[in-house]
Amino acid sequence: MAKLEAERKPLIAGNWKLNLDHLQSIAFVQKLAWSLKDARFDFSKVEVAIFPPFTDLRSVQSLIAADKFELTFGAQDVSAHDSGAFTGEISGQFLSALDCRYVIVGHSERRSFHFESNDLVGLKASAAIRNGLIPVICVGETAEDLETRGASAVPVEQLDTALAEVPSGSEIVVAYEPVWAIGSGQAASPEQAETVAGLLREVIASRLGSDCANATRILYGGSVKSGNIASFMREENIDGALVGGASLIIDEFVKIARFQNHVGV
Ligand code: 13P
């Protein structure tokens, strides 16, 4: 089904990674919300979500609720467990209680620095859903994978395993982030991103059903900037972006969120 017919609301998501403490997050969110307001940003057309570190979430929740900002937010990771003897883990129940709408699972930095497997990413996605959160499931190939297996084999495999235990019809978001494009300044081509996104949508259809696949937003991530966002958003299967570095520069993130104002989109 075509993008417009499927009515997938574009999602521009900012992954702050390990940046901004809770005090900095308050000033940042205020400035971001005001900048979007000044630009007459239409939240009914595009959703803007932020993903601060865990310790910022309470401050961000309180600020957004008190000032009625239309930004949504989520966490950067979740435990596969809901409670128990799991030192250092954060439960999906706690994130839900903080009004998080989303949680990122399987980011390549978790996979590489914390050795997270596809199975664990699947358990985390299930934990998110069981607690009323929407998992943003990240997949992507390394430069070596790209050379030896092409762009799509690894992301398809990662998503297929991650969805094995997810109930059909669940609301999820998928982020295709080629590892070599993250923080490198070298984004994938829109054509490559579109090809992989199309195949990922087929995986969702086979695991969760075709209605779910049509409704699921697939994001591209990896060196997204205001200068290249429009070229990704023109693609049929790309419904938004997961932005790292550029999400920490307010003017730049606002320009990315306003991609519909760029020529030709
Ligand atoms: P950059 O936008 O800094 O390349 O990071 C992408 C990313 O990892 C978002 O999750």
Side-chain angles (χ1 to χ4, degrees):
M1 193 187 283
K3 181 154 140 180
L4 284 177
E5 281 168 59
E7 291 183 351
R8 296 189 291 269
K9 186 174 178 176
L11 171 61
I12 300 297
N15 174 9
W16 293 4
K17 307 191 179 183
L18 186 50
N19 294 289
L20 305 180
D21 67 23
H22 74 288
L23 295 174
Q24 294 168 321
S25 77
I26 293 170
F28 187 95
V29 171
Q30 271 168 340
K31 276 191 216 146
L32 173 62
W34 293 337
S35 300
L36 287 164
K37 198 169 173 211
D38 283 350
R40 297 181 202 289
F41 188 77
D42 187 350
F43 286 93
S44 71
K45 298 224 168 75
V46 177
E47 180 179 356
V48 180
I50 52 170
F51 292 79
F54 287 128
T55 49
D56 298 3
L57 288 172
R58 177 63 169 154
S59 308
V60 167
Q61 175 211 21
S62 304
L63 176 62
I64 287 180
D67 289 4
K68 300 191 170 55
F69 293 148
E70 290 177 89
L71 296 163
T72 54
F73 61 96
Q76 297 175 15
D77 187 28
V78 65
S79 176
H81 307 280
D82 290 348
S83 64
F86 301 103
T87 302
E89 296 278 278
I90 299 289
S91 166
Q93 285 175 351
F94 305 165
L95 298 177
S96 234
L98 281 174
D99 297 334
C100 285
R101 182 164 155 76
Y102 299 101
V103 64
I104 294 172
V105 297
H107 191 279
S108 72
E109 287 146 19
R110 304 275 334 158
R111 292 178 190 266
S112 62
F113 303 135
H114 300 272
F115 312 106
E116 292 193 6
S117 65
N118 292 342
D119 289 331
L120 179 61
V121 174
L123 291 172
K124 289 185 172 199
S126 303
I129 290 161
R130 153 170 104 235
N131 287 296
L133 301 161
I134 301 169
V136 178
I137 304 171
C138 298
V139 297
E141 82 288 359
T142 63
E144 196 189 332
D145 296 330
L146 181 65
E147 210 171 288
T148 55
R149 303 183 59 194
S152 60
V154 167
V156 160
E157 204 171 272
Q158 288 173 332
L159 186 61
D160 192 51
T161 313
L163 295 183
E165 303 300 328
V166 168
S168 78
S170 298
E171 183 168 1
I172 61 165
V173 171
V174 173
Y176 169 51
E177 300 204 302
V179 181
W180 52 268
I182 294 177
S184 67
Q186 199 201 338
S189 68
E191 296 74 26
Q192 174 181 326
E194 169 63 15
T195 303
V196 178
L199 293 167
L200 294 174
R201 204 174 294 288
E202 286 175 20
V203 173
I204 302 166
S206 77
R207 285 285 188 188
L208 307 183
S210 57
D211 287 353
C212 186
N214 280 330
T216 297
R217 290 169 297 175
I218 299 181
L219 316 182
Y220 167 76
S223 298
V224 169
K225 304 193 253 313
S226 60
N228 61 20
I229 182 69
S231 61
F232 289 105
M233 295 307 294
R234 262 182 222 120
E235 298 294 343
E236 194 59 42
N237 282 293
I238 298 176
D239 310 300
L242 185 54
V243 186
S247 76
L248 298 167
I249 306 164
I250 290 176
D251 288 352
E252 183 64 6
F253 191 54
V254 168
K255 278 191 202 154
I256 294 170
R258 297 179 74 226
F259 69 90
Q260 288 173 331
N261 296 58
H262 303 196
V263 183
V265 184

